[in-house]
Amino acid sequence: MIARVGMPRPRLAPVLCASLVAVACSDSSPTAPPPPPLPDAGQTVAVGQNGLPRFVTPGAAAGMENQVTVNEGATVTWRFMSGGYNVISGGRPDGGTPEDCLPDGVFCSPGDQGCDGGVPPQPAGTFYQRTFVTVGDYPYFSQPGCLQGMSGVVHVHQPPADGGAGP
């Protein structure tokens, strides 16, 4: 055996490990795009469920499917099950007919822009969210669905003082 004086001994382990890590991290397979964001766990309303012009809140009592009750600060999500509809705050004046649905400018899909008119229909598979921070009743409708009775109400209540789950 020949002794090497003054020359460092080669260290292959760190080089080999670094090479293996680089190979393992440089997978050339394409990565899938991230899934679209999901709405939060608040109340959800299905818009145009099963191709019908209507709003349906899953789990709501019969005859109350188009109504949502939440605590202030909660978010409501409208999921567009069928294309061609939108969500516009407002509704019928007292005693008005379905043709009288009028926007009130408070909120609308897709991004609360132009809520006094000209709200575009949304494609199937998309959603619109609104967080309600003030107690009250918020009527809404869809164009052209309002002519077919497609309207609803979000009832926003103050959370119970005892910290319970509320509505």
Side-chain angles (χ1 to χ4, degrees):
M1 176 184 235
I2 301 174
R4 296 183 186 183
V5 178
M7 292 191 65
R9 196 166 153 190
R11 304 186 93 198
L12 294 177
V15 173
L16 182 60
C17 288
S19 297
L20 290 175
V21 169
V23 169
C25 294
S26 64
D27 185 7
S28 62
S29 64
T31 58
L38 294 175
D40 71 5
Q43 287 281 8
T44 300
V45 177
V47 180
Q49 186 169 355
N50 299 324
L52 299 174
R54 62 182 178 167
F55 293 108
V56 177
T57 303
M64 304 292 280
E65 294 93 350
N66 65 344
Q67 300 197 27
V68 179
T69 302
V70 297
N71 287 330
E72 64 182 329
T75 299
V76 174
T77 300
W78 287 268
R79 280 200 168 276
F80 295 94
M81 310 305 283
S82 303
Y85 299 104
N86 52 25
V87 173
I88 303 169
S89 65
R92 297 181 192 110
D94 289 337
T97 64
E99 296 82 27
D100 293 333
C101 283
L102 299 172
D104 63 12
V106 175
F107 62 89
C108 64
S109 61
D112 295 329
Q113 301 294 313
C115 296
D116 289 327
V119 178
Q122 301 303 294
T126 61
F127 63 88
Y128 164 68
Q129 290 185 302
R130 174 75 178 183
T131 300
F132 292 88
V133 296
T134 305
V135 170
D137 291 333
Y138 297 86
Y140 62 90
F141 63 97
S142 179
Q143 294 171 327
C146 189
L147 297 175
Q148 301 159 332
M150 194 167 175
S151 61
V153 177
V154 176
H155 303 286
V156 181
H157 295 223
Q158 187 171 20
D162 64 3

